[in-house]
C-alpha cells in the first residue's frame, strides 16, 4: 500500500469556505434565521430565490426588506464560485466552465444540451486522490474536498444557464446531473449527500430534480456504495471498472488494491437489489491496454446475469500520456462481444473532446498558464 499514493483524508483547506444556505438542512436554515432575528417565513423566500429563480443576489430582491438584504447575502449567500473561463464546442451545445473558489482553487463543470435533456457534469473535489494514471485530475493529486455549498453552487449555476437559454435553442430545464467531474464523490460523502439532498428536495427548499436523474460515479469505494444504498434514494450508481481483471485494474484504478473487482461488483449488486436500479459499468477503452477480445469475453462472463449496463468511453488522451483511444475496429469488436453475452452496452458520445473535455484537463491547462 505504501507506494500507492492514494489519498482519502483530504488536506484541510487553508481557510474555510464561508457557510452557505446550501450547506444547511431546511431545519438548520430556519434555526440560523432565528438566531439572526430573521422571521422563519423569510427562509422560504430566500430558498425560493436561490433554488427556484437561481438568484443569489439579495440586492435585486424587490420582495425582500432592504434592511435584511445585506445580512442575508453575508450569512446565507456568500459568493462561493467565480467564473474564470468558459469554453464551448459542439456548436455551443457543450460548455465547460472553470470556477475559482474562495481560496483560489480551480474546479470545472460541464453543461451539455441534448434534444431531450440538459445535463451537468460537476466536480465534488478539487483534484482527486485516487491516482488513476489515464485521468488528468488524478495526475494533479487531491487539493481539498468541496463543501456542499460549492457543489450546489455549480448545480445552481448550471440550472440558471439552462433556464436563461445560454445554450443555443432556447431555455431548458436542467434535467440530469452526473458526479463525473473532478474528484471521487464517495470520498467526500457528506458534502456530496447534502448536495444530492439539495437536488432532490422539492422547491422551495431544493432544486426538485429526481434522484433517478442523478448519477454518482465511483472508482469503487465499497463502504461508500454500502452507505449510499441506505439513503433511500434511487440515485444511479456508476462504477469505473475499466477492466474485468484485478491484475490490470490494480494499475488502472489503484484503489483496486484495497477493494477487488469481485468485492466492488458484489457491492454494486447489493445496490441494485436495494434500489431496484440497474448500475452502470464505466469502461474507458485504451488502445492495446484493456480493449482485447479476451478482456471483452471476461467482462461479458463477469456481467452476464448481473443488473448492469456497460458504458464504453473512448479514452480521451491526457497531455503527455502514452495512451490513446482504441482503434474503431477494436471498439466495435468489444461492443459485439458484450452484446453477444446479452449485456446492454453503449459507447459514450465524445462531447467536449476539443475543449479538453476529459476530466481535469481545463484546470490543468489554466494552472500551467499562470
Ligand atoms: N472519481 C469518479 C468520478 C470522476 S471521473 C470515478 O472515477 O468514477 C468520471 C469517469 O471518467 C470515470 O469513469 C473515469 O474513469 C473517466 N475518465 C477519467 N479520465 C478519462 C479519460 N482521460 N478518458 C476517458 N475517461 C476518463
Amino acid at each position: 500500500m505504501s507506494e500507492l499514493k492514494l489519498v482519502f483524508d483530504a488536506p484541510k483547506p487553508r481557510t474555510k469556505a464561508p457557510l452557505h444556505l446550501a450547506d444547511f438542512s431546511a431545519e438548520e436554515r430556519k434555526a440560523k434565521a432565528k438566531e439572526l432575528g430573521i422571521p422563519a417565513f423569510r427562509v422560504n423566500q430566500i430558498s425560493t430565490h436561490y433554488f427556484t429563480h437561481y438568484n443569489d443576489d439579495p440586492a435585486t430582491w424587490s420582495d425582500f426588506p432592504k434592511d435584511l438584504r445585506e445580512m442575508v447575502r453575508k450569512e446565507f449567500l456568500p459568493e462561493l464560485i467565480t467564473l474564470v473561463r468558459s469554453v464551448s464546442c459542439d456548436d455551443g451545445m457543450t460548455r465547460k466552465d472553470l470556477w475559482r473558489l474562495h481560496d483560489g482553487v480551480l474546479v470545472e463543470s460541464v453543461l451539455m444540451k441534448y434534444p431531450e435533456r440538459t445535463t451537468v457534469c460537476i466536480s465534488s473535489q478539487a483534484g482527486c486522490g485516487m491516482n488513476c494514471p489515464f485521468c488528468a485530475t488524478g495526475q494533479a493529486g487531491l487539493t481539498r474536498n468541496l463543501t456542499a455549498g460549492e457543489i450546489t453552487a455549480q448545480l445552481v449555476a448550471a440550472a440558471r444557464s439552462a433556464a436563461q437559454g445560454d445554450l443555443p435553442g432556447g431555455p431548458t430545464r436542467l434535467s440530469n446531473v452526473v458526479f463525473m467531474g473532478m474528484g471521487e464523490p464517495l470520498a467526500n460523502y457528506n458534502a456530496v449527500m447534502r448536495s444530492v439532498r439539495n437536488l432532490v428536495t422539492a422547491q422551495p427548499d431544493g432544486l426538485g430534480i429526481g434522484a433517478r436523474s442523478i448519477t454518482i460515479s465511483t472508482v469503487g469505494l465499497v463502504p461508500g456504495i454500502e452507505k449510499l444504498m441506505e439513503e433511500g434514494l434511487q440515485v444511479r450508481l456508476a462504477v469505473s471498472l475499466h477492466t474485468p481483471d484485478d491484475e490490470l485494474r490494480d494499475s488502472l484504478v489503484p484503489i483496486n488494491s484495497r477493494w477487488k473487482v469481485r468485492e466492488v461488483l458484489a457491492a454494486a449488486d447489493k445496490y441494485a437489489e436495494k434500489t431496484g436500479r440497474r448500475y452502470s459499468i464505466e469502461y474507458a477503452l485504451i488502445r492495446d491496454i484493456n480493449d482485447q477480445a479476451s478482456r471483452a469475453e471476461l467482462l461479458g462472463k463477469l456481467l452476464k446475469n448481473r443488473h448492469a449496463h456497460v458504458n464504453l468511453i473512448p479514452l480521451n488522451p491526457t497531455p503527455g500520456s502514452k495512451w490513446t483511444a482504441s482503434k474503431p475496429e477494436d471498439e466495435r469488436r468489444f461492443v459485439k462481444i458484450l452484446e453477444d453475452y446479452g449485456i446492454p452496452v453503449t459507447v459514450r458520445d465524445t462531447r467536449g473532446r476539443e475543449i479538453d473535455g476529459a476530466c481535469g484537463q481545463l484546470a490543468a491547462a489554466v494552472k500551467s498558464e499562470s
Side-chain angles (χ1 to χ4, degrees), residues 19-48:
L19 283 172
H20 188 279
L21 181 75
D23 290 306
F24 303 120
S25 67
E27 295 70 45
E28 290 166 344
R29 291 168 194 163
K30 292 215 171 78
K32 173 155 173 165
K34 196 170 174 196
E35 263 170 43
L36 295 167
I38 299 173
F41 77 94
R42 298 256 173 238
V43 177
N44 270 354
Q45 267 183 301
I46 298 169
S47 300
T48 302

Side-chain angles (χ1 to χ4, degrees), residues 121-125 127-130 132-138 178-187 216-220 238-242 249 252-253 281-286 311-319 321 348 353 357-361:
C121 173
I122 55 148
S123 296
S124 57
Q125 297 182 309
C128 186
M130 296 297 120
C132 304
F134 55 89
C135 171
T137 305
V178 296
F179 284 80
M180 291 190 181
M182 302 169 89
E184 167 50 45
L186 297 184
I216 293 187
S217 180
T218 178
V219 286
V239 174
S240 296
L241 198 70
H242 302 313
R249 196 167 191 268
L252 288 184
V253 185
I281 292 294
E282 305 289 301
Y283 200 112
L285 279 174
I286 314 175
N311 193 19
L312 297 171
I313 320 166
L315 183 82
N316 199 347
T318 59
S321 164
R348 188 191 287 177
R353 287 235 129 177
C359 189
Q361 288 186 16

Side-chain angles (χ1 to χ4, degrees), residues 73-91:
R73 191 197 59 74
K74 193 165 152 270
E75 299 292 340
F76 282 111
L77 298 169
E79 191 175 30
L80 296 178
I81 64 172
T82 316
L83 191 63
V84 177
R85 181 182 294 189
S86 290
V87 208
S88 295
C89 68
D90 305 320
D91 296 324

Side-chain angles (χ1 to χ4, degrees), residues 337-356:
I337 293 173
L338 290 176
E339 282 174 348
D340 288 347
Y341 275 93
I343 291 159
V345 48
T346 47
V347 179
R348 188 191 287 177
D349 71 62
T350 47
R351 279 283 178 113
R353 287 235 129 177
E354 64 268 41
I355 52 170
D356 297 330

Side-chain angles (χ1 to χ4, degrees), residues 32 85 143 168 170 189 222 225 300 359:
K32 173 155 173 165
R85 181 182 294 189
T143 304
Y189 191 88
V222 167
I225 296 172
C359 189

